[in-house]
Amino acid sequence: MKIYRPIPRRMLPWLAIAALLLLAIGLTPMLLQHESVVQIRVSHAGGPLPDGFYLYQQLTAQGIRIKSITPSGDALIIHFENEEQSLAAQKVLRRLLPDGFVVARHPDSASASSTMLNIS
């Protein structure tokens, strides 16, 4: 019968460092993943925003995956998993929404360039 000995004290710091490195390696992909954000605003003050559920249905029907749609003051903020989904959604929204809506990349979006589509 084997008797297990406790881990020597001199090995504990090395084990702690190894555990932290493994944790950092596991969390790195999640930290590096950026989502793309699109904002829809009304170009004329006081106009109503489009229905978020309707937009969700239409974009989903086109195969565009949406993480969330949230109202934010006088705008709708739509979060996508990646840049490709965001660009595809902007094309669909340009066709879908009537005149008077501004579809733009949100300033907090991960992309470096700012694309603005004015639907009017």
Side-chain angles (χ1 to χ4, degrees):
M1 175 155 51
K2 270 188 167 179
I3 298 177
Y4 294 102
R5 291 191 221 172
I7 298 172
R9 286 185 184 247
R10 63 183 161 90
M11 293 296 291
L12 288 178
W14 294 107
L15 288 173
I17 290 171
L20 288 174
L21 283 175
L22 286 173
L23 183 64
I25 290 170
L27 292 178
T28 298
M30 195 178 340
L31 294 173
L32 294 177
Q33 182 180 15
H34 296 289
E35 61 185 23
S36 186
V37 181
V38 172
Q39 181 180 37
I40 301 173
R41 290 181 285 118
V42 179
S43 61
H44 307 296
L49 285 172
D51 181 36
F53 185 69
Y54 172 74
L55 294 179
Y56 176 82
Q57 286 179 326
Q58 295 300 315
L59 293 173
T60 302
Q62 297 292 322
I64 300 170
R65 292 189 319 237
I66 298 169
K67 288 179 83 174
S68 68
I69 297 179
T70 55
S72 176
D74 61 345
L76 279 179
I77 308 295
I78 306 175
H79 294 263
F80 300 94
E81 290 184 9
N82 56 43
E83 188 69 23
E84 293 80 24
Q85 296 288 315
S86 173
L87 293 173
Q90 288 178 25
K91 290 178 185 176
V92 171
L93 290 170
R94 186 185 308 162
R95 289 190 322 255
L96 185 66
L97 293 173
D99 292 344
F101 288 99
V102 176
V103 178
R105 183 132 346 191
H106 195 268
D108 294 339
S109 184
S111 70
S113 64
S114 177
T115 305
M116 183 173 279
L117 305 173
N118 192 357
I119 304 171
S120 55

